[in-house]
Amino acid sequence: MITYNPKDWFTFIFRFHKADTLRQLAPLIIGISVYCWIVAFLELNVFRLSENSHVKNITAMHTLLSFVISMLLVFRTNTAYDRWWEGRKLWGSLVNNSRNLAIKLNAILGHEEAAHRSFFKKIIPMYASVLSHHLHAETTRLALDEHEHPELKNLDTNRHMPNQVASMMFQRVNRLYEEGKIKGDQLIVLNSELQSFTDIMGACERIKNTPIPFSYSVFLKKFIFFYVMTLPFSFVISLGYIAIPVVAFIFYVLASLELIAEEIEDPFGGDENDLPMIKMASNIKKHVAEILN
């Protein structure tokens, strides 16, 4: 995720970074500019259309459609940002719940329970790390001491990794209860914390696996395309060849909003504006280690 100072205007204006839509849209902008030049050449030099031509009345259609396309883009960007912000809130909850679980375990387990404390010190941040890889849909690599905790060898990378880690945490808590090291009311408290991990994972999977409806996304792209492709016919008569940069700029603005929405609607990807899950998992590991040390 890109960190920045929102008050630094001039740096943003003249700064081009990897996530800038201008880089992605450059080929299309060039193509639109060439298309607009062809239309301008035909209207001005071949057909020699004048200010009284009926083609100029196409502007009325653009005026009516501009309201519709603005409403569609507002809904599109708001929906995408809601998904991004919900993902951020879920990972914020995961950070807090990991700390809460570590704090409660630190109070319940005495310092003589070094083996159990060491297990939870590794397994709690391990859940965040596994979940981040799971949401990235990449193979998870776990850096744990298998000699100290041989039960971690039972992890099957072909199965749902976060569920396995959550199951291992609950099995250890249940084992502590059976050994009489925690009481029944303490088991209930810890169980609610462990259940919250799975609830967060399910909500993240809902965002990851449920994109914006296909028909809506396709319609918006077609709408923007045909809207921009008809702009030169009316703009050339009144603006001449100046219509070329004007149409290119309008296309850049409209298409950029759609590209930004596409990027942030999946907050768990690998784009620059996506959530820094690896960094948050690293912070969880640091905080849990401080609590259970």
Side-chain angles (χ1 to χ4, degrees), residues 83 86-94 127 131-132 134-136 162 196-210 265-268 275 277 280:
R83 292 163 59 90
E86 184 181 1
R88 179 62 185 91
K89 290 192 294 185
L90 289 170
W91 268 82
S93 299
L94 180 61
Y127 186 87
L131 180 59
S132 68
H134 174 68
L135 294 174
H136 275 307
S196 68
F197 281 41
T198 305
D199 293 339
I200 292 172
M201 175 189 63
C204 291
E205 288 179 333
R206 170 172 51 81
I207 297 174
K208 181 73 175 181
N209 299 329
T210 311
E265 72 180 0
D266 179 12
F268 310 123
L275 297 178
M277 295 184 295
M280 286 188 279

Side-chain angles (χ1 to χ4, degrees), residues 169-180 182 187 194:
M169 282 194 288
F170 185 79
Q171 288 173 5
R172 180 58 68 100
V173 170
N174 187 63
R175 175 179 156 190
L176 290 171
Y177 172 71
E178 292 176 346
E179 293 176 354
I182 62 174
L187 176 64
L194 294 173

Side-chain angles (χ1 to χ4, degrees), residues 148-258:
E148 184 177 347
H149 304 287
E151 66 272 22
L152 299 184
K153 295 180 180 179
N154 296 326
L155 287 175
D156 184 358
T157 56
N158 295 321
R159 296 167 56 195
H160 196 284
M161 295 291 288
N163 280 345
Q164 294 184 73
V165 177
S167 178
M168 291 169 60
M169 282 194 288
F170 185 79
Q171 288 173 5
R172 180 58 68 100
V173 170
N174 187 63
R175 175 179 156 190
L176 290 171
Y177 172 71
E178 292 176 346
E179 293 176 354
K181 296 179 180 178
I182 62 174
K183 301 176 183 178
D185 54 345
Q186 293 174 331
L187 176 64
I188 295 175
V189 171
L190 295 177
N191 180 66
S192 63
E193 294 291 346
L194 294 173
Q195 183 179 347
S196 68
F197 281 41
T198 305
D199 293 339
I200 292 172
M201 175 189 63
C204 291
E205 288 179 333
R206 170 172 51 81
I207 297 174
K208 181 73 175 181
N209 299 329
T210 311
I212 297 296
F214 176 77
S215 298
Y216 182 86
S217 181
V218 170
F219 172 75
L220 186 55
K221 288 180 174 61
K222 290 180 179 179
F223 194 178
I224 292 175
F225 176 77
F226 288 111
Y227 179 83
V228 173
M229 295 299 281
T230 57
L231 286 176
F233 292 99
S234 59
F235 279 18
V236 166
I237 296 177
S238 55
L239 298 177
Y241 285 102
I242 300 178
I244 298 174
V246 172
V247 172
F249 179 74
I250 293 174
F251 171 75
Y252 167 70
V253 173
L254 297 179
S256 292
L257 290 174
E258 172 63 12

